[in-house]
Amino acid sequence: MGQRHSIYSPSITDKKESWQHSLLTSIGVGTTASETDKIPPDNIFVPIQQDNILPQVPIGAHHPVPRKGIEDDDYRTLHTNKFYANTFLGEQNQPVWTQPYSIWWGKGSKEVGQLPTWGMGIAHIETEDLVYGEGDPAKHYVNPPRRQSLVLSARELDFNTTLTTDTHLPFSVNINLNHKTTHIEPKLTFPVVQGMSFITGGYRSASPIIQCPGPGFNFVSEPIHVGRSTKYRIKDANSRDWVIYVNPIPHFPYNASAFRRVDANTLLGPPFFKGTIQIARNPLGAEGESLYDKATGAFACEVLLTATVSEARGTYSFSYTKIGTSPLLMFALPHHIQSLDPDLRPQITRLQLRTPAKGLATAVWGDKLTFIEPALPITMSFGAWTPTLGPGKMKFAPDVHAFIAAIADRELRQLMAQDILSTASYFTAGKHVAKLATLIWVLKDVLNDAARTAAGLERLKLLLERYVANRQRYPLYYDDCWKGVVSYSGFTEPAADGGNTYYSDHHVHWAGFVYAAAVVAYLDAEWLRQGENRAWTNMLVKDFAESDYAGRDYPFSRSFDWWAGHSWGKGLIESADGRVVDSAGEDGFASLAIKMWGRVVGDVNMEKRGELWMEVLLPCLRLSASPFLPFSSSSKRSSQAVLTSFISIQATSCSPSSPAPSPPTSSSSRTTQYTRRASRPTSA
């Protein structure tokens, strides 16, 4: 096997001496994991195979994209496609969409209508802030990126400020704003997780600044004592209500009136402040304020995902490591609320905030949130399947059978004539081998055509043999910088193969190969024991769907975001509107590939992960229309609202290069295949 320079294997709790273990513990409350945080013995997120790079895959550590501002050492796997990736890409000043908020580094930018700042811009985007495209209904809408509702900064931050990140984990990261370019303790740190109820800034001997752009604050209350904290009610420039909590560390000589309004736009805090400042949007008046009062002082800094599956019932949980002794308040998305464990439903509050593209987020109390999916597609296989009928032996009328056979013969000849090995695209090649694999399965299990099945299977094995040996046009390299397998093509042309070298759409690119390997193994179990077929396919699975938190060579679940409920397509590419959701249909196919590969190799936990992936993805698709109807039917702009969610149906049939045989005329015997692509107006 190929050798790595170290066998160090980081764990979720094995981290550098970071802000969490210095400033946070100095607050006097330390890091507190949920009491129910223990990993269940039947947790399905377990290692797939031992980490080792295959000998035919070269190892390199010179990726075109630098690890900008990343403080974690070279041994930690990095999460290329996560919601916080903008913090280490490009200019580092594009938004991090945490749902329901977004935050972004000002970096001194002087944009019209905004305050120049070296601190962190904070935004909550309301329906009336949306920007609509042309047409009636409009073709799209945009959640304005880099919007400033408020700014959280420090007087010491200036043009020498740098942004760094540390403790990169699957669902969390720390964002640091440092004074000067030397490596010293950060002046201001933001622990970031999706669904956080507060934007929390931790200060180290700095002078806090809270700002509001435009005409400035519409209202700022007198300081209000909430335990050891000091609260301010404010209205921003649009008269929207927020609450601010100042939480000094124990024994810090803080004066409740230390914040003063120096101008219409600026609140200035005391010098050398140590502690946290938490900001939250409050549309619920006194009721919302009482919730935030109860929660202030606590915030999540890490998240651990676990899951179990018993027959068709899947259960998954997010266990939060929190700072502070107050109960934890987190925002949940609509699909979370739909699947929330009934025992936790009393913890749902009436506090809701709009998210950019996922509906109304609802605040829920809990250090651990558990969700139940009671009907996993455990009977789904390679053939036709429905949730109500399950699988079944397909029977067709003679004319339909003849029609399918004619199409299959024609398609097989075309596929076997194509020189897919000469293509530079793993996307194209993956689609090719998946299509050939599907056709072979039809020939075997639908048409019982032994001769054509054997011919197609032999062709598919030869194609996969070349890829397993890494002798295709552009070989794969193991990237020891960002930790993953990538195409060589992008080292000279960043846009090559849809950004494969930059980790874009790996779940799409590799799923076709994984699915094809599953079909081959289903038809010929001996293939699994030959050479490195199994190890190579597992390598692709680990690259986009690693299931081991402590994995050395690949990050946990690179593509699928188990909190958001779908995969992120965009990799190491700076993006103002988030990480992009390219195709829900391809996302679903990736989960099917995982499920079926797990089944044929006997990896029960992998098969269960594929099934749970499918089911977690499905509620998001069902609810995808709800956030995109921001106006009532009586609104003047209701026609624009209707545009915002759509599903297109694409018929997939024969190649267009030659006419297809005529289908049977009986309407009762027609069949339709289609792919569903869900498109969102924004990708955040």
Side-chain angles (χ1 to χ4, degrees):
M1 295 290 184
Q3 296 299 312
R4 293 284 301 281
H5 59 267
S6 171
I7 59 171
Y8 174 79
S9 181
S11 73
I12 191 170
T13 57
D14 182 14
K15 54 177 70 63
K16 61 188 284 294
E17 182 66 18
S18 69
W19 183 68
Q20 290 180 10
H21 292 272
S22 49
L23 173 65
L24 295 189
T25 52
S26 73
I27 293 175
V29 292
T31 303
T32 305
S34 168
E35 293 181 359
T36 53
D37 193 30
K38 295 180 180 179
I39 298 176
D42 51 350
N43 180 36
I44 63 174
F45 290 105
V46 294
I48 297 170
Q49 68 180 17
Q50 181 181 359
D51 276 330
N52 261 323
I53 308 305
L54 296 176
Q56 66 269 34
V57 179
I59 300 173
H62 305 287
H63 195 277
V65 177
R67 295 160 49 109
K68 187 174 294 185
I70 293 176
E71 295 186 22
D72 293 346
D73 58 35
D74 291 342
Y75 302 126
R76 181 182 290 277
T77 55
L78 296 174
H79 300 271
T80 53
N81 297 51
K82 297 307 181 187
F83 72 101
Y84 56 75
N86 278 335
T87 59
F88 49 72
L89 296 174
E91 296 298 314
Q92 300 179 278
N93 62 346
Q94 295 300 335
V96 173
W97 302 87
T98 66
Q99 315 293 345
Y101 304 109
S102 63
I103 62 175
W104 54 279
W105 183 31
K107 204 176 182 180
S109 174
K110 298 179 180 179
E111 298 183 18
V112 176
Q114 295 185 356
L115 291 170
T117 180
W118 291 92
M120 193 70 73
I122 296 169
H124 180 255
I125 299 171
E126 303 284 1
T127 300
E128 53 267 31
D129 301 325
L130 301 181
V131 178
Y132 288 86
E134 298 178 353
D136 186 12
K139 295 180 180 179
H140 70 277
Y141 76 71
V142 174
N143 289 279
R146 293 169 57 85
R147 174 182 171 82
Q148 278 184 350
S149 298
L150 297 171
V151 173
L152 190 55
S153 184
R155 193 171 190 174
E156 292 78 7
L157 300 181
D158 57 20
F159 63 90
N160 287 316
T161 301
T162 59
L163 184 150
T164 62
T165 50
D166 71 72
T167 320
H168 298 74
L169 292 169
F171 304 98
S172 62
V173 75
N174 293 331
I175 305 172
N176 309 304
L177 297 180
N178 309 281
H179 184 228
K180 307 294 186 184
T181 55
T182 56
H183 189 74
I184 59 176
E185 291 183 340
K187 285 295 182 184
L188 181 53
T189 295
F190 296 84
V192 175
V193 302
Q194 292 175 108
M196 58 188 188
S197 57
F198 294 102
I199 294 94
T200 300
Y203 286 80
R204 289 175 181 264
S205 299
S207 306
I209 291 177
I210 304 172
Q211 293 180 294
C212 182
F217 295 99
N218 193 284
F219 169 78
V220 179
S221 75
E222 293 297 317
I224 304 165
H225 290 285
V226 180
R228 293 186 59 254
S229 303
T230 301
K231 174 176 67 177
Y232 298 87
R233 301 185 185 110
I234 68 167
K235 290 183 181 290
D236 64 17
N238 297 106
S239 293
R240 295 168 185 168
D241 292 296
W242 299 72
V243 284
I244 299 173
Y245 297 88
V246 181
N247 310 303
I249 66 172
H251 313 300
F252 182 78
Y254 179 75
N255 185 337
S257 61
F259 265 88
R260 57 191 178 91
R261 188 168 181 174
V262 297
D263 58 42
N265 302 95
T266 306
L267 298 174
L268 177 63
F272 307 112
F273 175 74
K274 293 182 179 180
T276 62
I277 294 178
Q278 296 183 288
I279 298 178
R281 175 83 169 87
N282 178 30
L284 198 56
E287 182 179 349
E289 193 170 316
S290 67
L291 296 173
Y292 287 128
D293 286 353
K294 182 179 177 181
T296 186
F299 52 90
C301 61
E302 291 182 14
V303 190
L304 176 65
L305 169 68
T306 58
T308 61
V309 172
S310 177
E311 296 182 346
R313 178 185 172 92
T315 302
Y316 66 104
S317 300
F318 295 111
S319 298
Y320 295 95
T321 299
K322 72 172 181 179
I323 304 299
T325 57
S326 299
L328 191 62
L329 185 67
M330 299 297 297
F331 278 105
L333 299 178
H335 73 279
H336 296 144
I337 299 299
Q338 183 184 57
S339 301
L340 190 66
D341 186 331
D343 291 342
L344 297 177
R345 300 201 75 80
Q347 306 305 315
I348 298 174
T349 74
R350 295 201 317 121
L351 177 61
Q352 293 185 315
L353 290 178
R354 179 190 178 273
T355 66
K358 299 181 185 300
L360 289 175
T362 303
V364 181
W365 295 107
D367 293 2
K368 179 178 181 179
L369 299 180
T370 298
F371 311 95
I372 298 173
E373 301 295 347
L376 301 186
I378 59 175
T379 59
M380 182 184 291
S381 187
F382 294 108
W385 180 92
T386 68
T388 53
L389 299 178
K393 185 68 175 179
M394 290 175 288
K395 298 180 180 179
F396 299 100
D399 59 340
V400 177
H401 193 279
F403 172 65
I404 296 174
I407 293 288
D409 177 70
R410 177 178 170 277
E411 289 287 294
L412 181 64
R413 285 186 280 107
Q414 289 184 347
L415 288 171
M416 294 183 68
Q418 292 177 12
D419 181 18
I420 197 64
L421 291 169
S422 65
T423 182
S425 171
Y426 284 95
F427 174 82
T428 302
K431 297 295 185 186
H432 177 92
V433 296
K435 183 176 181 180
L436 179 56
T438 301
L439 183 59
I440 294 168
W441 178 86
V442 170
L443 288 166
K444 171 65 169 61
D445 278 19
V446 177
L447 299 176
N448 297 314
D449 190 330
R452 289 185 174 85
T453 297
L457 184 59
E458 183 64 24
R459 172 62 176 170
L460 182 55
K461 287 180 179 179
L462 289 174
L463 289 175
L464 292 178
E465 180 183 353
R466 288 286 296 272
Y467 282 97
V468 171
N470 211 22
R471 291 187 288 112
Q472 61 276 21
R473 180 178 177 185
Y474 286 103
L476 293 177
Y477 277 68
Y478 178 80
D479 166 32
D480 204 18
C481 178
W482 294 99
K483 315 302 182 189
V485 285
V486 296
S487 168
Y488 182 73
S489 62
F491 285 102
T492 54
E493 173 51 55
D497 199 6
N500 180 287
T501 309
Y502 287 61
Y503 294 95
S504 292
D505 288 319
H506 274 203
H507 65 297
V508 177
H509 294 189
W510 302 150
F513 291 98
V514 175
Y515 178 82
V519 172
V520 173
Y522 166 71
L523 296 175
D524 182 4
E526 184 62 27
W527 183 82
L528 284 176
R529 295 182 282 274
Q530 296 171 353
E532 291 168 324
N533 295 332
R534 180 170 182 163
W536 178 84
T537 308
N538 276 339
M539 175 188 74
L540 299 185
V541 173
K542 284 166 69 69
D543 178 76
F544 74 89
E546 174 62 274
S547 52
D548 183 5
Y549 264 85
R552 182 196 66 182
D553 293 339
Y554 304 94
F556 178 84
S557 192
R558 183 192 308 280
S559 298
F560 192 72
D561 186 329
W562 289 89
W563 188 87
H566 55 73
S567 292
W568 295 116
K570 191 169 290 186
L572 296 176
I573 302 170
E574 186 182 36
S575 177
D577 57 356
R579 308 319 305 155
V580 177
V581 181
D582 286 331
S583 167
E586 289 168 330
D587 202 346
F589 181 70
S591 69
L592 175 65
I594 294 289
K595 168 182 165 62
M596 297 313 301
W597 175 248
R599 177 177 294 184
V600 298
V601 301
D603 188 334
V604 175
N605 285 313
M606 184 188 294
E607 183 177 3
K608 291 177 178 178
R609 290 193 300 273
E611 292 163 353
L612 186 59
W613 177 343
M614 287 186 196
E615 202 65 20
V616 172
L617 175 66
L618 184 59
C620 280
L621 296 178
R622 288 172 176 165
L623 293 167
S624 62
S626 61
F628 309 136
L629 300 176
F631 300 100
S632 67
S633 59
S634 60
S635 169
K636 294 179 180 179
R637 300 176 71 179
S638 60
S639 61
Q640 291 179 317
V642 178
L643 68 97
T644 54
S645 179
F646 66 89
I647 294 177
S648 63
I649 305 299
Q650 275 191 335
T652 57
S653 55
C654 310
S655 302
S657 54
S658 58
S662 299
T665 56
S666 172
S667 59
S668 61
S669 61
R670 292 176 188 158
T671 59
T672 303
Q673 290 181 299
Y674 60 89
T675 355
R676 301 179 66 181
R677 291 179 178 264
S679 177
R680 294 184 171 93
T682 67
S683 50

